[in-house]
Amino acid sequence: MALTCAISNEVPEHPCISPLSNCVFERRLVEKYIAENGVDPITNEVLSEEQLIDIKVTPLVKPKPPSATSIPAILKSLQDEWDATMLHSFSLRQQLQTARQELSHALYQHDAACRVIARLTKEVTAAREALATLKPQAGIVAMAPTPVAPAIPNVNNEEPMEVKDDDEGGMTDDVLQKLQDKATTLTAERKKRGKKIPEGLATADDIQSYKQISSHLGLHSASNPGILALDLHAADTSRVLTGGLDKNAVVFHRETEQVVATLKGHSKKVTSVVYHPTEDVAFTASPDSTIRVWSVGTASCTEIVKAHDAAVTGISLHATGDYLLSCSLDQHWAFSDIRTGRVLTKCVSNVSSTQALTCAQFHPDGLIFGTGTTDSVIKIWDLKERANVANFPGHSGPITSISFSENGYYLATSADDSVVKLWDLRKLKNFKTIALEDRYEVKSLCFDQGGVYLAVAGSDVQIYMVKQWELLKTFTDHSGVATGVKFGKNAGFIASTGMDRNLKFYA
């Protein structure tokens, strides 16, 4: 016969008996009752805990719950335990991934902060040294308000600038004469070509009917996606040169759809590329502050031009094919010999302010060139005199791209202001502004070889008719921002690259 607690009417785990009422209680319950009331629960007589008498009984064995009395029930119980364990494991993995991402972000911010501090420290030290050693320099020349460029008459220069020539020769008379002879030849040829439209040039109707005919995704690494620069071989426009975020440049053949060469050597992304118009030679520039000259046939670097102390932002090949113009965030432009890798002359953009240069392009004649700055100004320079002969203000935001037309009369420019401006180099004024959509990003501008069409690459790819400046065609095939655009021979096709890692052809 089982004992029953007089209070709970349940079988007690620790039974005891009261000597006053002779009733059985659960010890835990009766102790609480005595603590609160001090009397026997049944007789209400004074009772203390010491008077209670424990009863020794055989321990009760509770039956198993009905759910664990069969093999299927046990299996279900085990499955439930497994599911709960897996859910908990998944939750822990999610928390671990979140913690890793937060740690990675914190480390990245710390690394970036350290780099900024180091750069600022270096700049402050350099500025202090410059102030401590400031003295008149023989290399500083003041520009007189006289015409210095045949293509740009009656221009004034208001800024002195520091010019550094190579000690071993630099801009010698032979080099200057070579530049002048080439310019004279090109001017005469261009005047002949300017009298008629190039034979075989694609018509406006042809351009309007163009559509994407191929897209190539695997040229650059997918781990760091994005193509930043594009150029074509002038003699064989099927040969395409691209530069990417993966630190590589790639030469691709459009007709065979094969990669001809992969050019590896830069320690940072490749932001500018130029393909030599007559030789199998490529040029690449990078924020690692170097310019590399490549032999495409052997995929090897033949020269490293170290003309700058900061990121190289633009390069342009002279019409002779022997000299390279470069610009940099160190506020200098440089003129280098590609055969020797030697810097012939180097000039600061503005000694009185910090004008980092963002892009550079030779005029078709090769005697003048343009540079874009971070303070929204386009500067025109006379190469022979190393003089700033004209400035074109009007944009807002850093200049992103400049391009001279083939006839040498027009200059197209863009900045971070969603407009494209056209400048007349004969009258030195802005004669046309193409307003694009709000927040439209312009990354690259390019005239075709005949100077009949202008291509704009950015949020999409747009083709304009020169002189009328009307939009002929818009290509929206890139899923990312378009970073480069070039015309094939006689505008027979159009090539574009973008941050979606695609090289696309339209025809």
Side-chain angles (χ1 to χ4, degrees):
M1 180 176 175
L3 300 177
T4 305
C5 175
I7 296 176
S8 64
N9 290 325
E10 298 285 342
V11 177
E13 293 182 359
H14 302 287
C16 65
I17 190 168
S18 170
L20 301 181
S21 62
N22 295 322
C23 290
V24 178
F25 300 96
E26 171 68 63
R27 188 172 186 88
R28 173 175 50 83
L29 294 178
V30 75
E31 285 178 349
K32 288 184 179 180
Y33 188 91
I34 293 172
E36 293 177 0
N37 303 292
V39 297
D40 187 284
I42 303 301
T43 63
N44 288 328
E45 295 178 12
V46 177
L47 179 66
S48 64
E49 294 181 4
E50 290 76 15
Q51 293 179 271
L52 296 175
I53 302 171
D54 288 329
I55 301 176
K56 293 185 178 181
V57 295
T58 304
L60 295 175
V61 179
K62 294 183 178 181
K64 294 182 179 180
S67 60
T69 55
S70 65
I71 291 178
I74 294 173
L75 291 176
K76 183 179 185 305
S77 177
L78 292 174
Q79 183 65 53
D80 291 341
E81 288 291 334
W82 170 261
D83 293 344
T85 302
M86 290 300 99
L87 290 174
H88 182 63
S89 175
F90 175 73
S91 177
L92 291 177
R93 288 201 304 271
Q94 282 188 319
Q95 293 174 7
L96 176 61
Q97 180 65 19
T98 302
R100 283 179 174 173
Q101 290 177 347
E102 291 176 352
L103 178 59
S104 176
H105 183 65
L107 290 174
Y108 175 80
Q109 287 183 322
H110 177 267
D111 182 62
C114 290
R115 290 177 182 273
V116 170
I117 291 171
R119 179 175 59 82
L120 292 177
T121 302
K122 181 179 178 181
E123 291 178 356
V124 169
T125 303
R128 285 175 177 169
E129 292 177 355
L131 288 174
T133 60
L134 188 62
K135 60 182 180 179
Q137 300 182 25
I140 298 180
V141 294
M143 298 297 109
T146 56
V148 293
I152 304 184
N154 301 322
V155 290
N156 298 335
N157 181 53
E158 302 175 354
E159 302 172 356
M161 59 213 64
E162 182 182 356
V163 179
K164 300 177 182 178
D165 283 350
D166 188 278
D167 295 335
E168 299 179 1
M171 297 286 282
T172 63
D173 292 339
D174 291 341
V175 173
L176 295 176
Q177 188 59 47
K178 185 176 181 180
L179 300 179
Q180 183 61 60
D181 293 344
K182 186 65 174 179
T184 302
T185 302
L186 291 174
T187 301
E189 292 177 354
R190 193 173 63 250
K191 287 182 178 179
K192 292 180 181 179
R193 292 197 304 268
K195 295 179 181 180
K196 59 180 180 179
I197 297 177
E199 184 177 354
L201 181 70
T203 64
D205 291 338
D206 293 335
I207 298 292
Q208 290 174 334
S209 67
Y210 278 6
K211 61 182 180 180
Q212 178 181 312
I213 58 172
S214 64
S215 181
H216 305 278
L217 180 63
L219 305 186
H220 290 269
S221 171
S223 61
N224 201 1
I227 301 177
L228 301 177
L230 168 69
D231 198 19
L232 305 183
H233 192 289
D236 179 9
T237 54
S238 292
R239 298 175 73 85
V240 183
L241 174 63
T242 62
L245 271 169
D246 60 356
K247 308 175 187 179
N248 298 333
V250 173
V251 179
F252 178 79
H253 200 283
R254 183 177 69 93
E255 294 181 353
T256 62
E257 298 188 349
Q258 298 293 322
V259 173
V260 177
T262 300
L263 312 178
K264 299 181 179 181
H266 283 289
S267 61
K268 294 184 179 180
K269 60 187 177 182
V270 178
T271 54
S272 301
V273 297
V274 172
Y275 213 140
H276 198 290
T278 57
E279 303 175 20
D280 206 14
V281 175
F283 308 90
T284 60
S286 168
D288 64 8
S289 74
T290 65
I291 302 161
R292 290 178 177 262
V293 183
W294 304 87
S295 171
V296 175
T298 59
S300 61
C301 178
T302 58
E303 295 288 346
I304 299 179
V305 182
K306 298 181 179 179
H308 299 283
D309 301 323
V312 182
T313 53
I315 54 176
S316 179
L317 187 66
H318 190 270
T320 58
D322 296 327
Y323 306 105
L324 192 71
L325 169 70
S326 60
C327 66
S328 168
L329 294 182
D330 65 4
Q331 307 173 46
H332 287 78
W333 60 261
F335 184 71
S336 308
D337 188 331
I338 66 169
R339 309 299 178 185
T340 63
R342 191 159 54 93
V343 179
L344 302 183
T345 187
K346 185 176 179 181
C347 180
V348 67
S349 175
N350 188 346
V351 294
S352 61
S353 66
T354 56
Q355 291 182 344
L357 302 181
T358 57
C359 53
Q361 185 71 41
F362 269 118
H363 184 273
D365 285 345
L367 287 183
I368 64 172
F369 62 89
T371 60
T373 65
T374 53
D375 60 354
S376 313
V377 177
I378 298 95
K379 291 176 173 287
I380 306 299
W381 301 79
D382 184 303
L383 179 58
K384 294 172 64 178
E385 301 295 333
R386 280 87 90 196
N388 176 207
V389 296
N391 292 327
F392 294 149
H395 281 290
S396 61
I399 305 301
T400 57
S401 181
I402 62 176
S403 180
F404 289 95
S405 67
E406 195 279 336
N407 63 14
Y409 297 148
Y410 302 135
L411 172 65
T413 63
S414 65
D416 289 340
D417 53 7
S418 302
V419 299
V420 175
K421 289 183 176 289
L422 284 306
W423 308 83
D424 191 323
L425 298 178
R426 296 164 293 183
K427 300 178 182 179
L428 299 179
K429 68 176 185 179
N430 170 224
F431 68 91
K432 178 69 177 180
T433 298
I434 301 174
L436 303 171
E437 296 178 1
D438 186 34
R439 297 185 179 180
Y440 187 102
E441 297 183 60
V442 184
K443 297 297 184 181
S444 178
L445 301 171
C446 177
F447 285 95
D448 74 299
Q449 296 88 337
V452 179
Y453 306 109
L454 171 66
V456 178
S459 299
D460 52 30
V461 177
Q462 299 183 2
I463 311 298
Y464 289 85
M465 172 73 80
V466 172
K467 294 185 179 179
Q468 293 84 1
W469 307 112
E470 62 180 18
L471 179 62
L472 293 179
K473 185 69 174 181
T474 300
F475 302 102
T476 58
D477 302 89
H478 282 288
S479 59
V481 174
T483 55
V485 60
K486 293 291 181 180
F487 288 94
K489 184 178 181 181
N490 289 328
F493 69 90
I494 299 169
S496 69
T497 54
M499 293 305 294
D500 59 359
R501 207 162 53 92
N502 275 286
L503 167 63
K504 295 180 180 291
F505 294 101
Y506 313 90

